[in-house]
Amino acid sequence: LQLENSLSGSGASVLSHEMFHSLGSPDLYRYEDNTITPIGGWDLMSANANPPQHMSAWMKYRYGQWLPAPEMLSTSGEYTLSPVAASSTNNIYRIPSWRPNESYVVEYRHPSGFYDGNLPGTGLLVYRVDTRENGNAGGPPDELYIYRPGGTNTTTNGVLSQAAFSANTGRTEISEITSPNGFLGNNMSGGLNIYDVGMMGDTISFKVKISDLQLTYPHG
């Protein structure tokens, strides 16, 4: 590539975004329906920061094929994640839901070196994933959606910049008794139960409860 003027003011950010398109990644911003913003500045394929922020671990797995298939948790317990920007391992888990094809993804976003210092925040992110979709351009429905304060259904935006969970921020739980809960793409409950999210550090820990019903359905 030989670029003279087209990236003025945006530098490596737009180039990184477009390069990931060339490797097969779709956009994570919606083209027409702007009722809500599913991902915002948490992922390079939704909004460009400068310097560029990382893609979510899910996008690195599904489209970049840089990560192995994330483990689908089937056992309740305590788990620990490393930051997406700092580690190529132990940076993503999936959690089943009460609906086929929809599940949850958790990852830890924290600055490391030159990257991810310009994210909206830091901490544990909890996404809803619909594996039938390819990106968010045609949404709704969306492939990826981040749970955030005030976002209590598929048409209420909430405060996306405050999406990260941690003991530091006092947001340590998302379950059927919290607001928001882990509502699915049809606005129904999905059985998500994450609690006791820990302090931010080199890693972050959380606890999860998995019900028998969550293990009933295939999730792709």
Side-chain angles (χ1 to χ4, degrees):
L1 298 177
Q2 186 173 8
L3 303 169
E4 183 176 0
N5 297 315
S6 61
L7 295 180
S8 177
S10 57
S13 184
V14 170
L15 183 59
S16 298
H17 176 102
E18 299 303 332
M19 185 63 186
F20 200 20
H21 277 317
S22 74
L23 298 177
S25 171
D27 283 318
L28 289 181
Y29 63 89
R30 292 180 176 180
Y31 289 176
E32 296 183 4
D33 187 332
N34 294 316
T35 306
I36 66 166
T37 302
I39 300 296
W42 293 102
D43 192 299
L44 177 66
M45 301 313 292
S46 178
N48 300 91
N50 197 13
Q53 73 276 45
H54 276 250
M55 314 85 168
S56 61
W58 176 259
M59 298 296 282
K60 292 183 179 185
Y61 149 67
R62 185 172 186 185
Y63 299 104
Q65 300 181 27
W66 302 320
L67 299 178
E71 179 183 355
M72 182 77 81
L73 300 183
S74 59
T75 304
S76 301
E78 184 172 6
Y79 295 88
T80 300
L81 285 168
S82 300
V84 170
S87 177
S88 60
T89 60
N90 189 47
N91 55 22
I92 182 173
Y93 286 114
R94 288 180 73 184
I95 299 170
S97 78
W98 290 343
R99 191 183 191 197
N101 303 114
E102 289 190 70
S103 59
Y104 305 102
V105 163
V106 290
E107 67 179 25
Y108 180 28
R109 300 301 292 271
H110 193 277
S112 178
F114 194 61
Y115 296 103
D116 273 6
N118 48 12
L119 290 173
T122 57
L124 184 76
L125 294 182
V126 183
Y127 299 79
R128 181 179 68 240
V129 176
D130 189 333
T131 54
R132 295 167 295 186
E133 302 301 321
N134 186 262
N136 293 355
D142 304 296
E143 179 179 356
L144 279 179
Y145 169 87
I146 295 178
Y147 294 100
R148 76 293 300 267
T152 55
N153 54 54
T154 57
T155 57
T156 305
N157 204 30
V159 186
L160 187 53
S161 63
Q162 298 177 16
F165 292 84
S166 72
N168 306 68
T169 63
R171 298 187 66 236
T172 61
E173 179 182 357
I174 179 168
S175 67
E176 292 302 304
I177 63 172
T178 63
S179 180
N181 59 25
F183 63 92
L184 299 173
N186 60 0
N187 284 315
M188 302 299 289
S189 298
L192 181 63
N193 191 349
I194 292 174
Y195 60 102
D196 284 356
V197 180
M199 299 288 289
M200 293 184 289
D202 292 338
T203 61
I204 196 168
S205 64
F206 65 95
K207 295 177 182 177
V208 62
K209 184 175 182 179
I210 306 293
S211 69
D212 290 341
L213 185 57
Q214 285 170 264
L215 303 178
T216 301
Y217 302 106
H219 291 90

